[in-house]
Amino acid sequence: MGILTGGGDCPGLNAVIRAATLELLNAGVQVTGIERGFLGLMRGQMRRLHTQEVDDILDQGGTILGTHNRADPFHDFARNGADVSAQVLACARQAGLDGVLAIGGDGTMDIAARLDALGLPMIGVPKTIDNDIALTERTFGFDSAVAVVAEALGRLRTTARSHGRVMIVETMGRYAGWIALEGGIAGGADAILLPELPFEPQRVLQCCQHREALAGSLGHDGSTLICIAEGCAPAGGSMTVAHTLADSPDPVRLGGVGERLRALLEPHLQSEVRTTLLGHVQRGGTPTAYDRVLATRFGHAAARLAVQGRFGHMVALQADACISVPLSEVAGRTRQVPPGHPLVEAARGLGVCLGVA
Ligand code: F6P
């Protein structure tokens, strides 16, 4: 079995590699680590994995195999977008691979589904801090990112309160608001803005002005803590693109909506407004205990599927059970926050401003 990690990294990748490798080795299966995601399959860069390579990596952030966010066998960025999938299949055969565990996000699952259909047996393991992969209620890496956001909000609250400021925290999450929603609730944000609910700037402004007006009464300091997801857009407006990558299957990189919101709010407030862009801090470092456990469950379940010859599936978490779903049903889809999600309702019930009616 080959193992690769594709797309952006996240905490918990090494915990999956460890669990799957140990489970496969115990079942008498040889394990090959493929370097830098699908790039390693395209270039034949692989190495054998033994117990000693994975023994001590449970809590290490990143991925010992390396990853790549542009490597796509159906669109090789280094060869003018050529389809090199036939070469990848030949390379896998030559390396003696009977199948590949692909640990990645939606892009990786799309590629895995297509390679599986072409005859390279694949198993998917869903990773991403964004928690936006279809048919799984949780991806590993998400809990670690939420913990970073919650801690940042907690730290920013004390400085916001000291100065009576408005503090805006921009989270990652691409087109889904899961990180901002859970991080915002865990960090006690006064306003939480999600891509799924295009916000009305006037409502956010009213929230800040209302809090400003309370300054001095009942020990209120007038500060406001706003948690905004990078994929947010004002109602009728567009998302804020930081830059686009040439030759990438997913070229858009979001970022900057927090600063945009600051520019909208500040002229109408007495308080100073500051923005913190958390960025890749949310993806780095050691996984939380929850993510270590989830990653271990996924790695174990994926290896079991391989041993049973049940390829063409992705492991998934549904109702806290580790199940498998067809890769073909995951491909081409993502999972956003439903506007009526219980956590959205809970935030509303607490009086958190969501920027909408
Ligand atoms: O998908 C994970 C993610 O961290 C998103 O939340 C973010 O928009 C994107 O990747 C950033 O990508 P890059 O690492 O290429 O800047």
Side-chain angles (χ1 to χ4, degrees):
M1 281 300 299
I3 301 185
L4 65 81
T5 52
D9 70 316
C10 82
L13 285 167
N14 286 325
V16 179
I17 295 169
R18 172 180 175 268
T21 301
L22 293 178
E23 181 89 25
L24 288 167
L25 291 174
N26 283 337
V29 178
Q30 287 185 1
V31 184
T32 298
I34 300 164
E35 293 169 4
R36 303 208 67 197
F38 289 107
L39 196 66
L41 260 192
M42 290 153 71
R43 309 273 189 271
Q45 289 158 352
M46 308 177 194
R47 62 180 194 261
R48 283 283 296 279
L49 292 180
H50 311 92
T51 307
Q52 61 269 28
E53 275 99 29
V54 300
D55 232 4
D56 207 20
I57 62 172
L58 171 67
D59 57 355
Q60 258 179 45
T63 161
I64 59 161
L65 295 175
T67 186
H68 202 282
N69 62 4
R70 280 186 294 161
D72 179 351
F74 298 96
H75 188 98
D76 187 354
F77 66 94
R79 290 177 207 167
N80 290 325
D83 182 339
V84 297
S85 53
Q87 185 183 319
V88 162
L89 261 62
C91 178
R93 260 194 305 275
Q94 203 183 349
L97 299 180
D98 294 319
V100 174
L101 295 189
I103 312 168
D106 58 336
T108 302
M109 294 310 132
D110 291 352
I111 295 171
R114 293 179 73 185
L115 287 176
D116 188 77
L118 283 182
L120 176 59
M122 302 290 296
I123 290 168
V125 181
K127 76 82 220 186
T128 167
I129 62 165
D130 303 339
N131 201 34
D132 64 349
I133 300 185
L135 302 182
T136 184
E137 287 161 9
R138 272 281 192 274
T139 55
F140 67 90
F142 172 63
D143 188 67
S144 305
V146 166
V148 171
V149 174
E151 188 189 346
L153 284 167
R155 288 176 182 274
L156 289 165
R157 187 185 307 107
T158 59
T159 162
R161 286 204 168 149
S162 305
H163 291 266
R165 278 178 174 164
V166 174
M167 287 291 194
I168 301 172
V169 178
E170 178 178 322
T171 72
M172 279 189 165
R174 236 170 22 151
Y175 310 114
W178 296 107
I179 299 177
L181 178 61
E182 291 211 6
I185 286 180
D190 305 303
I192 300 177
L193 305 178
L194 311 175
E196 294 85 351
L197 300 173
F199 65 94
E200 295 166 38
Q202 196 58 27
R203 288 188 187 273
V204 186
L205 180 63
Q206 277 163 4
C207 163
C208 300
Q209 284 172 331
H210 174 70
R211 296 178 60 83
E212 250 182 8
L214 291 176
S217 64
L218 293 168
H220 204 292
D221 49 64
S223 67
T224 305
L225 208 49
I226 302 175
C227 183
I228 183 169
E230 64 179 1
C232 279
S238 54
M239 281 184 248
T240 311
V241 175
H243 55 270
T244 48
L245 296 176
D247 296 327
S248 168
D250 178 19
V252 174
R253 290 296 174 274
L254 299 168
V257 69
E259 192 49 27
R260 215 169 137 196
L261 180 64
R262 187 200 61 74
L264 285 173
L265 297 177
E266 198 160 47
H268 308 286
L269 293 169
Q270 285 157 30
S271 331
E272 291 178 54
V273 186
R274 295 284 193 274
T275 306
T276 302
L277 204 155
L278 290 176
H280 291 83
V281 168
Q282 294 159 95
R283 268 192 7 208
T286 186
T288 58
Y290 178 90
D291 272 340
R292 292 178 207 182
V293 172
L294 182 59
T296 300
R297 288 177 76 185
F298 278 168
H300 159 78
R304 298 283 305 158
L305 286 179
V307 170
Q308 292 161 2
R310 294 177 53 209
F311 292 96
H313 284 78
M314 181 188 85
V315 296
L317 194 74
Q318 287 183 15
D320 206 33
C322 205
I323 57 146
S324 66
V325 294
L327 273 171
S328 57
E329 289 180 18
V330 177
R333 296 171 62 189
T334 53
R335 195 177 71 95
Q336 287 190 292
V337 179
H341 190 276
L343 267 184
V344 175
E345 290 311 317
R348 214 187 286 277
L350 294 173
V352 172
C353 168
L354 297 168
V356 293

